[in-house]
Amino acid sequence: MTYCVGLYLRDGLVLLSDTRTNAGVDHVSCFGKMQVEEVPGERLLVLQTAGNLALTQAVWNRLQEGVRLDGRRQTLREVPNMFQAAQLVGQAVRDVYQADGPALSAQGVGFDLSLLLGGQIQGGPPRLYLVYAAGNFIEATPDTPFLQIGEVKYGKPILDRNVQFDTSLPDGVKLALISMDGTLRSNLTVGMPVDLLTYRTDSFAVALRRRLGEDDAYFRTIREGWAAALRRAYQDLPAPDWGRSGGSAP
Amino acid sequence: MTYCVGLYLRDGLVLLSDTRTNAGVDHVSCFGKMQVEEVPGERLLVLQTAGNLALTQAVWNRLQEGVRLDGRRQTLREVPNMFQAAQLVGQAVRDVYQADGPALSAQGVGFDLSLLLGGQIQGGPPRLYLVYAAGNFIEATPDTPFLQIGEVKYGKPILDRNVQFDTSLPDGVKLALISMDGTLRSNLTVGMPVDLLTYRTDSFAVALRRRLGEDDAYFRTIREGWAAALRRAYQDLPAPDWGRSGGSAP
């Protein structure tokens, strides 16, 4: 399994991916799931991937080689805007489906992958897309300023409650790490280290890119601080008082 | 969908179920998913159900009528101990499968249900079981003092972090309500009101049984207090400081 999350904020993007890949429970490896295309001062694009590793690697390799869209072969370094970048990723997914889908189907294996594409190209605003296995895609908006792929449920409530378009990048980093921490604790197939990238609107360059392992002091502070805060928070909530109002006590 | 959770604590049991049932998104109804068998002073058994409503109601009806186990028809009011109560529920599930499984299968509908059975019968300790669609079951232990059925993921991290066998009943109520609240927010097919029941070890009677709706003052206190505490908690965590240690700031 995998967990990747992208926050789409007024100030920029916060992108976080785990690195665990498994085929069964006894074949567990570490693979980066975050790929970056950067032309400093002109564009920054980040692709995060979840699903069958052979498929997601095939998509990335095709994007490196160039994918035929609108009659010509293009890469993410050439497309003129983010919408066409998302179309290009979708086309790469469809090309892989055409190449590998029938053989997978013959073995009873589903065509399982999804991707997050975030970034900005000169002339347009930052955008964040979720590309499905059918090659179609949705886009984050100020109303729904985050997208997730992979094992999305454990880490969703904290984002639902707190992520807004106006959330600052440092707060976004905290919330993404808290969301990842909850997922790491609840699903063994999501694993450390995690890859973090932040992007400031109109900078056209990576703001921060960092791999965080068990030994990262800040991630440890967040994990321990959050666990302690949750413990305090539920302990500080009042005990049920129905007993006093006529019912029986718990 | 459904969310039911049961906490198995030294002091007793905390059982919580939502009441929403849906067939598609335009056929949504309210059905209790918590059934109680009580012989005051002698036994208390509580069954919580998730999955296909026709199947879970069929299981409950068979349990009311009596299910043939070990050569004779028995109900939950007669079985001599909790282990045999779990066997009886499992047998009821298998009987329903035998009666309805082939017709469902012919329509391409899965045999989808699961149940929590908690309680205590004189002569034995309290026990909490999760019964699967195949009629087999697992039991909560002090190492893993909670079980969930239905839409389990959103509300699991808070339980993973905080529920221990020594957690008090009032704290257990708080944690179960927090777990339910996160699930209610993230999945529309889990809905209010919710049914809460608590049981004190060796009491052989319900301690508290209450249906909590939007207007319940205590549940509202928990929901609002928890949301505010989470907001404060992540805001109080330190901002990322990698920038100061040589990397770039987020």
Side-chain angles (χ1 to χ4, degrees), chain A residues 182-206:
Chain A
T183 310
L184 290 167
R185 282 171 192 267
S186 291
N187 188 328
L188 281 181
T189 69
V190 176
M192 298 267 261
V194 299
D195 288 323
L196 172 68
L197 187 148
T198 66
Y199 172 74
R200 279 203 178 278
T201 299
D202 297 336
S203 70
F204 303 100
V206 169

Side-chain angles (χ1 to χ4, degrees), chain A:
Chain A
M1 205 68 183
T2 290
Y3 178 46
C4 300
V5 57
L7 310 188
Y8 169 76
L9 309 175
R10 186 183 300 283
D11 291 345
L13 304 172
V14 175
L15 307 170
L16 183 66
S17 305
D18 86 312
T19 56
R20 186 161 293 172
T21 298
N22 72 302
V25 290
D26 57 351
H27 188 172
V28 175
S29 340
C30 177
F31 280 95
K33 300 165 191 171
M34 182 183 281
Q35 306 292 345
V36 180
E37 282 286 12
E38 188 177 14
V39 181
E42 198 271 326
R43 72 180 57 203
L44 176 85
L45 294 101
V46 184
L47 196 70
Q48 295 168 274
T49 57
N52 182 312
L53 184 66
L55 296 176
T56 59
Q57 288 187 343
V59 168
W60 180 243
N61 284 325
R62 278 170 188 265
L63 285 168
Q64 301 279 92
E65 283 194 341
V67 172
R68 187 161 284 276
L69 183 71
D70 299 333
R72 62 199 179 82
R73 186 178 290 271
Q74 303 181 57
T75 71
L76 291 174
R77 300 177 77 83
E78 297 153 19
V79 286
N81 56 53
M82 285 299 297
F83 177 68
Q84 289 191 33
Q87 285 184 305
L88 197 73
V89 173
Q91 188 57 49
V93 170
R94 289 170 181 172
D95 290 353
V96 171
Y97 181 73
Q98 211 157 25
D100 295 351
L104 287 173
S105 179
Q107 305 271 350
V109 178
F111 189 77
D112 164 34
L113 89 173
S114 52
L115 309 100
L116 295 181
L117 173 70
Q120 187 177 13
I121 295 174
Q122 274 284 7
R127 298 177 87 163
L128 175 65
Y129 296 95
L130 192 169
V131 183
Y132 295 104
N136 57 339
F137 48 86
I138 60 169
E139 181 178 1
T141 68
D143 288 332
T144 302
F146 67 89
L147 294 172
Q148 305 167 287
I149 53 175
E151 178 60 278
V152 303
K153 292 189 178 183
Y154 298 117
K156 185 160 180 284
I158 186 67
L159 304 177
D160 277 335
R161 287 176 190 274
N162 293 296
V163 176
Q164 289 165 346
F165 188 56
D166 288 328
T167 298
S168 71
L169 286 186
D171 277 354
V173 169
K174 281 191 240 176
L175 289 165
L177 290 176
I178 291 167
S179 174
M180 178 63 76
D181 180 40
T183 310
L184 290 167
R185 282 171 192 267
S186 291
N187 188 328
L188 281 181
T189 69
V190 176
M192 298 267 261
V194 299
D195 288 323
L196 172 68
L197 187 148
T198 66
Y199 172 74
R200 279 203 178 278
T201 299
D202 297 336
S203 70
F204 303 100
V206 169
L208 172 79
R209 186 177 183 184
R210 199 173 173 97
R211 176 161 284 193
L212 313 177
E214 298 284 357
D215 57 342
D216 184 87
Y218 179 67
F219 196 15
R220 213 162 48 223
T221 301
I222 292 288
R223 304 184 89 181
E224 290 168 6
W226 184 249
L230 287 193
R231 207 156 42 238
R232 270 197 313 276
Y234 95 79
Q235 286 166 347
D236 287 350
L237 288 172
D241 60 355
W242 298 298
R244 271 168 265 153
S245 60
S248 39

Side-chain angles (χ1 to χ4, degrees), chain B residues 5-16:
Chain B
V5 57
L7 310 189
Y8 169 76
L9 309 175
R10 186 184 300 282
D11 291 346
L13 304 172
V14 175
L15 307 170
L16 184 68

Side-chain angles (χ1 to χ4, degrees), chain B residues 49-113:
Chain B
T49 57
N52 182 313
L53 184 65
L55 295 177
T56 59
Q57 288 188 343
V59 168
W60 179 243
N61 283 325
R62 279 170 187 264
L63 285 168
Q64 302 279 93
E65 284 195 340
V67 172
R68 186 161 286 277
L69 183 71
D70 298 333
R72 62 199 180 83
R73 187 178 290 269
Q74 303 181 59
T75 71
L76 291 174
R77 300 177 78 82
E78 297 153 20
V79 286
N81 56 52
M82 286 299 298
F83 177 68
Q84 288 190 34
Q87 285 184 306
L88 196 73
V89 172
Q91 187 58 50
V93 170
R94 289 172 181 170
D95 289 354
V96 171
Y97 181 74
Q98 209 157 25
D100 295 353
L104 287 173
S105 178
Q107 306 270 350
V109 178
F111 188 79
D112 163 33
L113 90 172

